[in-house]
């Protein structure tokens, strides 16, 4: 009889936590980017940009999908930034534990524990680099994974990752720094 009460309390706790999460999700919707304020790009017949115009905030961004980016770049990005991207729910507890452990041992941050999804959450939400910001980033990452596919999250990263100054996204960076499309990026 005691185990039944514990089971009922456990189920009640799970239902309450789920209800709180649903309410929080509704009260704090995802801050997804608005495409209406995007800049414009004039393309030649062969697809090469002739003239680009920044968005209303002065940011240069050329929208792309993962299929329009070199598979070598995507592979390198996922290998370096988040090799478990396809397998975690937005947060990698082992990476976070490793980063915290190294930080405590060395008394400074040695490595990060952010996943690609957490980085997208920080880019979109502008969370500060402190413990509160990291907790908010974790919550937003879980929310992103709940609402978007892995491909959509990767697309957000490819289009909004900062590459210095007012350049955002891999396509804008490839044209600005290398004079070619992100589709033509090589291992070099």
């Amino acid at each position: 009889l005691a185990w039944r009460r514990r089971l009922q309390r456990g189920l009640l706790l799970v239902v309450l936590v789920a209800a709180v999460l649903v309410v929080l999700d509704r009260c704090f919707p995802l801050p997804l980017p608005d495409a209406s304020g995007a800049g414009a790009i004039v393309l030649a017949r062969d697809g090469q940009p002739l003239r680009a115009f920044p968005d209303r905030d002065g940011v240069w961004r050329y929208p792309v999908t993962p299929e329009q980016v070199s598979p070598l770049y995507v592979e390198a990005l996922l290998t370096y930034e988040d090799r478990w991207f396809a397998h975690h729910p937005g947060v990698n507890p082992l990476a976070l534990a490793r980063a915290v452990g190294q930080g405590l041992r060395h008394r400074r941050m040695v490595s990060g524990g952010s996943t690609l999804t957490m980085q997208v959450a920080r880019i979109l939400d502008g969370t500060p680099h402190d413990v509160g910001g990291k907790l908010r980033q974790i919550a937003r990452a879980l929310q992103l994974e709940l609402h978007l596919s892995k491909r959509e999250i990767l697309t957000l990263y490819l289009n909004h990752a900062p590459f210095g100054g007012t350049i955002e996204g891999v396509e804008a960076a490839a044209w600005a720094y290398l004079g070619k499309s992100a589709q033509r990026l090589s291992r070099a």
Side-chain angles (χ1 to χ4, degrees), residues 2-75:
W3 65 271
R4 264 193 186 160
R5 276 192 222 130
R6 279 190 230 136
L7 180 63
Q8 287 173 341
R9 287 182 187 151
L11 289 174
L12 180 62
L13 180 64
V14 168
V15 169
L16 286 173
V17 167
V20 167
L21 292 176
V22 167
V23 168
L24 288 173
D25 182 56
R26 299 267 190 223
C27 291
F28 301 100
L30 282 170
L32 295 175
D34 180 19
S36 66
I41 303 166
V42 178
L43 302 174
R45 284 189 183 146
D46 65 357
Q48 186 164 342
L50 296 174
R51 176 79 166 99
F53 299 91
D55 68 8
R56 64 177 162 230
D57 297 323
V59 175
W60 299 90
R61 188 182 306 116
Y62 301 169
V64 290
T65 64
E67 296 77 26
Q68 294 171 315
V69 176
S70 167
L72 297 172
Y73 177 81
V74 174
E75 177 188 342

Side-chain angles (χ1 to χ4, degrees), residues 163-180:
F163 279 89
T166 58
I167 298 172
E168 287 187 4
V170 66
E171 185 72 6
W175 281 109
Y177 299 126
L178 304 172
K180 62 183 175 180

